Amino acid sequence: MRIGILTGGGDCPGLNAVIRAVVRKATAEHGDEVVGFRDGWRGVLDGDTVPLDVAAVRGLLPRGGTVLGTSRTNPYALDDGEQRVLATCERLGIDALVPVGGEDTLGVANRLAAAGVQCVGVPKTIDNDLDATDYTFGFDTAVGVATEAIDRLHTTGDSHHRTLVVEVMGRHAGWIALHAGMAGGATVVLVPERPFDIDAVVAHCQHRFDSGFSPIVVVSEGARPAGDPLTTTSGQRDAFGHERLGGIGEALARVIEERTGRESRAVVLGHVQRGGTPTPFDRVLATRFGLAAVDAVHAGASGVMVALRGTDIVQVPLAVAVAHLKLVPVERYAEVEVFFG
């Protein structure tokens, strides 16, 4: 077979481990030829490829990012996008596609599968918000980076008697904020799933100061206050219609400083969460996903995504995987000593 693989959306620790696993199993066990498409769906639209063999993927396991490059290209934003993808697959003799990405990348794969392209998706997002899988690779690494940052900020916050607001990624889902906030002992965790009360956040920070310690506030980039115009967006949108976010941490820090009379600083982790070496958990999960994707391709499956359920790798319909985002069920964490604003 001739298998095409692409990585779309935001880069993520573990992407190269998937590429490596797909190439090694497909070539060594099945004698397949693997073709990498550069920069996500853009490469498929333009027929921009790179050959992948065992030598090409050697040393990729611990490497962050993606050697294939990525983009937020949406073929269905173009009038002839689907036809161009189909034409590329026919011209290059691609028997199956293995797209690696989140809801947007796999949403395209779902539509292409309905159009007759054999597609087996691999779930990727540091936000861990892709439905139908317990975990996505990249999430564990991102939480580790954010937790280490919080650990370091506790001491400098107490030394200077200031509030430190840590802004982490999470457009619609607050999984990174929740897990890093819990692991790092944050005073307040703010997630997109629940609009927060600024007055309550300030009061909680003041209580922390009164106890002799400095507060740490962890906020998802997509978190917003209830009934308050404290919004921070650029107005720019990508090809999938997502607005570019950023700035809630800085805006919140200003309000906390004004109302508590104590200095507040914002720390935006941003793309630091995406970069660098993947954790062992993410390397193993990404490898298992890649191996399972090749198995699914050779079993004739299409329109499916490999997923983690418990400790097992299973196949789920792409349509189910991209139908809904997996959001934080805030009410289930009532017993946790983390304050949801």
Side-chain angles (χ1 to χ4, degrees):
M1 294 185 71
R2 201 162 198 236
I3 300 173
I5 185 171
L6 62 109
T7 55
D11 65 302
C12 176
L15 280 169
N16 288 322
V18 176
I19 298 169
R20 172 182 177 272
V22 168
V23 170
R24 289 177 67 90
K25 178 155 192 172
T27 57
E29 188 168 318
H30 300 286
D32 296 332
E33 182 181 357
V34 181
V35 175
F37 286 98
R38 292 188 176 97
D39 302 335
W41 290 116
R42 198 278 304 168
V44 186
L45 285 169
D46 298 339
D48 187 2
T49 66
V50 56
L52 294 173
D53 56 17
V54 173
V57 299
R58 189 166 289 124
L60 290 188
L61 194 59
R63 182 171 172 179
T66 166
V67 294
L68 291 178
T70 186
S71 72
R72 296 191 182 277
T73 303
N74 180 8
Y76 286 97
L78 306 173
D79 292 337
D80 62 344
E82 182 178 276
Q83 290 72 29
R84 287 171 60 185
V85 170
L86 295 175
T88 294
C89 290
E90 183 176 357
R91 184 175 70 256
L92 298 180
I94 301 298
D95 298 301
L97 283 177
V98 177
V100 188
E103 55 167 325
D104 296 324
T105 300
L106 297 186
V108 172
N110 182 49
R111 297 178 68 173
L112 288 173
V117 180
Q118 185 182 5
C119 288
V120 174
V122 174
K124 176 276 317 176
T125 167
I126 65 168
D127 291 338
N128 199 41
D129 61 357
L130 195 57
D131 207 6
T133 184
D134 290 348
Y135 284 97
T136 53
F137 66 87
F139 173 67
D140 187 67
T141 303
V143 169
V145 170
T147 302
E148 182 180 357
I150 294 168
D151 288 346
R152 292 175 179 273
L153 291 170
H154 273 292
T155 54
T156 191
D158 288 339
S159 297
H160 291 271
H161 315 295
R162 61 166 63 122
T163 301
L164 286 166
V165 180
V166 185
E167 182 182 317
V168 300
M169 286 185 170
R171 174 183 297 277
H172 302 294
W175 292 106
I176 295 177
L178 172 66
H179 282 242
M182 289 172 59
T187 309
V188 178
V189 173
L190 306 175
V191 296
E193 290 85 346
R194 174 181 289 179
F196 60 87
D197 182 340
I198 292 181
D199 293 336
V201 172
V202 171
H204 213 70
C205 289
Q206 185 60 59
H207 177 75
R208 179 71 173 172
F209 279 127
D210 293 342
S211 69
F213 298 93
S214 295
I216 297 283
V217 178
V218 178
V219 57
S220 298
E221 62 183 340
R224 292 291 177 263
D228 193 287
L230 188 65
T231 57
T232 51
T233 58
S234 67
Q236 299 175 327
R237 294 183 180 274
D238 64 19
F240 292 93
H242 299 308
E243 194 167 31
R244 184 176 178 180
L245 301 178
I248 185 62
E250 185 66 41
L252 187 58
R254 287 197 301 267
V255 173
I256 294 173
E257 180 170 324
E258 291 170 0
R259 299 193 186 181
T260 63
R262 300 288 190 103
E263 184 181 14
S264 297
R265 296 289 181 87
V267 178
V268 182
L269 297 185
H271 289 80
V272 171
Q273 297 158 92
R274 292 190 182 280
T277 302
T279 61
F281 179 89
D282 282 339
R283 297 185 205 187
V284 171
L285 181 58
T287 298
R288 295 183 69 195
F289 278 158
L291 299 177
V294 175
D295 287 339
V297 166
H298 278 273
S302 183
V304 300
M305 180 188 82
V306 294
L308 180 69
R309 294 285 181 84
T311 58
D312 297 325
I313 304 295
V314 301
Q315 295 178 23
V316 298
L318 276 170
V320 173
V322 301
H324 304 285
L325 289 175
K326 182 175 66 181
L327 303 179
V328 173
V330 179
E331 66 281 356
R332 295 184 188 175
Y333 291 88
E335 75 282 3
V336 179
E337 293 184 5
V338 174
F339 173 74
F340 290 94

